[in-house]
Amino acid sequence: MRLLLIEDDAELSRSLQADLANAGYVVETATDGELGEFLGATEPYDAVILDVGLPKLSGLEVLRQWRQTDNRVPVIVITARDAWFEKVDGFKAGADDYVCKPFHPQELLARLQAILKRVNNLNQAKLKVLGVELDEDEQTAVVAGNTAHALTAIEFRLLRYFMLNAGKVLSKAQLSEHIYSESAEPDSNVLEVYVKRLRKIVGSELIQTRRGQGYLFGFKA
């Protein structure tokens, strides 16, 4: 999953970026509102973590501009402002969740997981699709109740993206965009290798190749 973190506190940004990366997210960052608004309006992120007190353009104004253009990317607002009316302002601007500083990284990760499942109509404690259960904390997969398979970082990112987009045809470019960082620049054949590995874990019938289009997770013949 590809995230945008907009935070002007350099230390907090580095810390959160590391925590999110360890949790299997591809994270891009912006340190001011103008750049953050531009990236969020032009790049396909799965979710945004947005500070309120930003230079150049406030976080709430960034959010208002996205919502006015029907940008529906899920947004978690993070802020030191914890008064009830300030939270109301955040939700009225279009926030999906609101986390007050200081917060524990695990709380933010749990809220992020919940939002990503909710926007993909998967309202469940653990991500489970067609007999495949993904443990996002342990980064393991259990198929049909059998032994848990430990996943590599890329296998985990790929399987989570497949599961959250079950039933959709996903192009190779789209998959690469959401599981690799921009600096990774993977070989085009690498993705096929990881798909092959996942098929051995979840069963080949669950991941279909659509010639000229990409892959489809969640289809059983």
Side-chain angles (χ1 to χ4, degrees), residues 27-211:
V27 186
E28 292 166 20
T29 61
T31 56
D32 67 68
E34 282 186 359
L35 177 59
E37 194 283 331
F38 173 77
L39 290 173
T42 56
E43 297 292 330
Y45 296 103
D46 295 293
V48 176
I49 298 169
L50 174 66
D51 186 25
V52 170
L54 295 168
K56 298 186 180 179
L57 193 64
S58 77
L60 292 187
E61 187 55 35
V62 169
L63 188 50
R64 289 190 187 98
Q65 291 190 21
W66 287 342
R67 296 315 189 215
Q68 286 170 2
T69 57
D70 202 29
N71 184 338
R72 301 181 184 182
V73 64
V75 174
I76 298 177
V77 168
I78 56 174
T79 178
R81 303 171 187 172
D82 60 356
W84 68 267
F85 54 86
E86 289 169 322
K87 295 179 184 177
V88 170
D89 288 342
F91 285 115
K92 284 185 174 179
D96 296 272
D97 203 351
Y98 198 105
V99 181
C100 295
K101 301 177 183 176
F103 54 83
H104 195 287
Q106 288 301 319
E107 179 187 357
L108 181 65
L109 288 171
R111 289 173 181 265
L112 180 60
Q113 290 171 1
I115 282 179
L116 290 172
K117 283 184 281 196
R118 189 164 65 241
V119 298
N120 288 285
N121 298 315
L122 293 166
N123 296 324
Q124 50 195 228
K126 283 192 176 182
L127 186 55
K128 189 173 183 179
V129 178
L130 292 174
V132 179
E133 183 173 317
L134 189 69
D135 188 320
E136 295 179 84
D137 295 326
E138 299 295 329
Q139 301 193 2
T140 60
V142 173
V143 181
N146 293 319
T147 306
H149 294 266
L151 302 169
T152 66
I154 297 298
E155 289 169 353
F156 171 71
R157 293 178 191 176
L158 182 59
L159 182 56
R160 179 166 59 187
Y161 195 72
F162 269 139
M163 293 174 71
L164 287 172
N165 292 277
K168 301 175 185 175
V169 176
L170 303 170
S171 68
K172 288 183 180 180
Q174 187 177 0
L175 289 168
S176 294
E177 199 169 53
H178 287 266
I179 65 172
Y180 294 111
S181 64
E182 286 185 334
S183 59
E185 297 183 355
D187 184 278
S188 59
N189 294 323
V190 172
L191 184 63
E192 294 179 14
V193 173
Y194 281 110
V195 169
K196 186 176 180 180
R197 289 184 185 177
L198 283 185
R199 281 177 169 146
K200 290 182 178 177
I201 295 172
V202 304
S204 58
E205 74 279 5
L206 268 185
I207 306 177
Q208 281 205 341
T209 299
R210 292 296 177 90
R211 189 177 299 277

